Amino acid sequence: MKLSAIFESWHIGDGNYPPLHKGQLVNLSFEVEPRTIEEARLNSHHSFEHLGNGECRFCGDVIRVYSGEDRDTVVIFEAGDFRFYVMSYEADRYVQGQRYCGEGTLLLDHFYWVEFLSEYENPPNLFYNLEVNRIKKIRTPERFVERQEQGKSFPTRLVPEDYSDSDVEELDTMEEQSFDEEFYIIEFDKHESDRNNIPRTFLS
């Protein structure tokens, strides 16, 4: 299994994850932020396809729906041999057992699964042992940075259409980066180690 996911720079400032380096073994869970998603016929094939640069296409079943009065709904999908979660602001948007197909962005779990894992009833395993095999640093083009006298604002990530090859830099390690006007695309390979031998990479 190969995965390509977005690592947003704010994870470093918030202490969620450490800087990664090529060859590092990690244990991670993932979120998909869909751009499009719709119900599918049950005879639609399970699949999870990488479109490049953290973008993906999927078709899979909802296997759990976790909702609460004080928390957004967390929806667990199984698409082919890959499991991930989707956040929803609509408690009734997704139905357990229903199949959905969509496209979106694959992200490192921003904490909603790993940090609240003990609060979910009968949680499925969303954690994967992986090896980091490629790191791409994406510089945020100046047109997306809004500067003010007291500071600045810019998006935490961009879709591939919003940046060019000149904004991309290959790295061996994320150590000593500024983690400012940039985000990262990490490519992973599945690692066959016993999952208990690789501690969770999320820094709780």
Side-chain angles (χ1 to χ4, degrees):
M1 179 177 68
K2 294 181 179 293
L3 296 174
S4 173
I6 302 294
F7 186 117
E8 296 172 310
S9 289
W10 65 267
H11 283 306
I12 298 296
D14 280 18
N16 289 346
Y17 297 99
L20 304 181
H21 59 82
K22 288 177 66 174
Q24 182 176 352
L25 300 184
V26 293
N27 180 269
L28 297 168
S29 48
F30 295 89
E31 171 186 6
V32 168
E33 185 175 280
R35 282 187 303 281
T36 63
I37 190 166
E38 59 184 16
E39 291 187 12
R41 296 178 180 178
L42 287 177
N43 61 359
S44 300
H45 294 298
H46 270 228
S47 62
F48 190 88
E49 177 186 359
H50 287 285
L51 304 178
N53 296 313
E55 303 303 301
C56 62
R57 179 183 297 123
F58 62 90
C59 194
D61 295 341
V62 170
I63 60 173
R64 298 282 195 285
V65 178
Y66 298 102
S67 58
E69 294 181 0
D70 59 346
R71 187 173 298 168
D72 296 331
T73 298
V74 180
V75 186
I76 311 302
F77 279 83
E78 185 172 65
D81 61 354
F82 185 54
R83 291 176 175 178
F84 56 89
Y85 75 88
V86 166
M87 300 294 299
S88 176
Y89 301 110
E90 305 170 81
D92 299 326
R93 170 71 171 83
Y94 297 97
V95 178
Q96 186 167 320
Q98 175 66 48
R99 188 164 297 174
Y100 298 82
C101 295
E103 291 188 6
T105 303
L106 184 66
L107 308 162
L108 270 67
D109 174 7
H110 72 276
F111 70 70
Y112 231 87
W113 184 252
V114 61
E115 194 163 278
F116 298 115
L117 185 61
S118 63
E119 300 180 23
Y120 299 125
E121 182 179 356
N122 191 26
N125 181 24
L126 304 190
F127 295 96
Y128 293 90
N129 279 343
L130 304 164
E131 182 175 352
V132 177
N133 68 12
R134 192 179 187 189
I135 300 172
K136 294 194 291 186
K137 173 183 172 181
I138 316 300
R139 180 185 60 82
T140 305
E142 184 63 29
R143 68 183 182 277
F144 293 103
V145 182
E146 183 176 341
R147 302 185 189 278
Q148 304 94 23
E149 185 176 344
Q150 300 300 321
K152 60 184 176 181
S153 62
F154 52 89
T156 59
R157 66 182 184 276
L158 298 168
V159 295
E161 293 78 14
D162 287 335
Y163 58 87
S164 65
D165 290 345
S166 63
D167 299 311
V168 181
E169 179 184 357
E170 296 267 352
L171 301 177
D172 289 330
T173 178
M174 294 165 62
E175 293 281 358
E176 300 183 357
Q177 298 299 312
S178 65
F179 303 108
D180 190 5
E181 297 170 20
E182 65 200 50
F183 65 97
Y184 298 82
I185 299 171
I186 314 295
E187 295 183 8
F188 302 95
D189 279 329
K190 185 177 181 181
H191 197 272
E192 300 300 334
S193 297
D194 184 320
R195 69 186 182 92
N196 293 323
N197 291 338
I198 302 177
R200 299 267 165 83
T201 307
F202 186 86
L203 301 173
S204 56

